[in-house]
Amino acid sequence: MFTGIVEETGVIRGIRKNRESAVVSVKAGKVLEDLKIGDSVAVNGVCLTVVEFFPGGFGADVMHETLDRSTLGSLKPGNRVNLERAMAADGRFGGHIVAGHVDGRGTVRKIERDDNALWYTIGAGREILRYVVEKGSIAIDGISLTVAKVSEESFQVSVIPHTARETVLQDRKPGDEVNLETDVIGKYVERFLAFPAETDKKKNMAGEGITMEILRKYGF
C-alpha cells in the first residue's frame, strides 16, 4: 500500500523486454536505504516487486498485464520515474490510499500556468472517468492529487510548484501518456451495489444484500 507521496525520482537504467513481459532496472538513492528483495516499490504509480540489486539501483519484473495497462512499456533508458516505497505500518497518510494497481492510461491535453500553480488537463476514457469526482483523489504517475474539475472526456488537477519540481510532472508535455489510478473506495462501493444484480438478486447470508433502497432507509 502507498500514499502517493513521491520520495524521489529515479532514472531508468535499462529495460529488457521479453515476448510479453519485461525486466526494468532503476537507478535510485533514498528508496534503497532499507529496501530488500521482495519489497514493493511504486514506479510511476505501478507497484513492482524488487527482485535484484545492483550498485545504486534495483531491478523488478513487469508482467504482461502491467505493460498493457501502464506506460512502463514505453520507458527508455534515461527517463525519470517517480519512486515510493510501500508505507510502513507507523507511517503517515500524506496523500490517499494508493494500491499501485493502475487502472489505465490518460493523456496530457493541456498545461496552463495560474500564478504559482500549474493546471494539468488529463484526457481519459469513460471507464476511468466514471470513478473521478470533483475534490476526490487520483494518482497520476503515482502522485496523489486532488481533482479540481471533471468533464465527460477529461479532468483537471492544480499542482503546486513543489510537486511539479520534485516529480516527473515537470517532464510532462501535451501528448504524453500518464498512469492513472482512481480512488479504490469508489470501485468497492460500486461492486457492493452491483453484486445482488449480478447474482440474479439471490439472497445472501446478510439478507437481501446492499441496495439503494436499504441505503436510503438507513440515512445514506
Side-chain angles (χ1 to χ4, degrees), residues 167-186:
T167 68
V168 299
L169 273 182
Q170 67 174 339
D171 302 338
R172 299 290 178 251
K173 58 185 182 300
D176 286 351
E177 287 192 319
V178 292
N179 294 322
L180 299 177
E181 182 187 335
T182 58
D183 194 337
V184 67
I185 295 175

Side-chain angles (χ1 to χ4, degrees), residues 9-172:
T9 54
V11 178
I12 297 297
R13 187 178 93 160
I15 297 182
R16 186 173 74 250
K17 294 186 178 180
N18 303 316
R19 187 167 63 88
E20 293 183 333
S21 62
V23 179
V24 60
S25 299
V26 183
K27 295 179 182 177
K30 182 176 181 180
V31 300
L32 298 177
E33 293 174 358
D34 60 353
L35 209 59
K36 302 182 296 296
I37 297 295
D39 283 352
S40 296
V41 178
V43 179
N44 274 0
V46 181
C47 179
L48 298 179
T49 301
V50 176
V51 297
E52 63 180 349
F53 289 106
F54 57 84
F58 67 91
D61 292 325
V62 184
M63 299 184 299
H64 186 199
E65 164 73 3
T66 303
L67 292 175
D68 282 348
R69 283 189 181 258
S70 74
T71 63
L72 292 191
S74 62
L75 290 174
K76 297 178 176 59
N79 286 161
R80 295 195 316 135
V81 289
N82 293 324
L83 300 176
E84 181 191 355
R85 289 168 290 184
M87 190 186 78
D90 61 350
R92 293 182 177 179
F93 270 112
H96 70 283
I97 297 174
V98 178
H101 304 155
V102 170
D103 293 299
R105 288 168 283 188
T107 303
V108 179
R109 290 189 175 179
K110 189 186 301 182
I111 303 174
E112 301 173 287
R113 181 169 292 280
D114 179 17
D115 195 10
N116 71 333
L118 288 171
W119 283 80
Y120 287 77
T121 300
I122 310 294
R126 295 180 63 85
E127 71 279 4
I128 291 177
L129 289 172
R130 65 186 297 173
Y131 302 111
V132 181
V133 298
E134 187 172 321
K135 304 307 178 186
S137 297
I138 192 163
I140 301 178
D141 279 340
I143 308 164
S144 175
L145 296 167
T146 300
V147 177
K149 299 178 181 178
V150 185
S151 71
E152 293 185 355
E153 298 181 345
S154 65
F155 67 91
Q156 290 183 302
V157 294
S158 183
V159 179
I160 62 173
H162 174 82
T163 301
R165 185 171 58 250
E166 297 298 320
T167 68
V168 299
L169 273 182
Q170 67 174 339
D171 302 338
R172 299 290 178 251

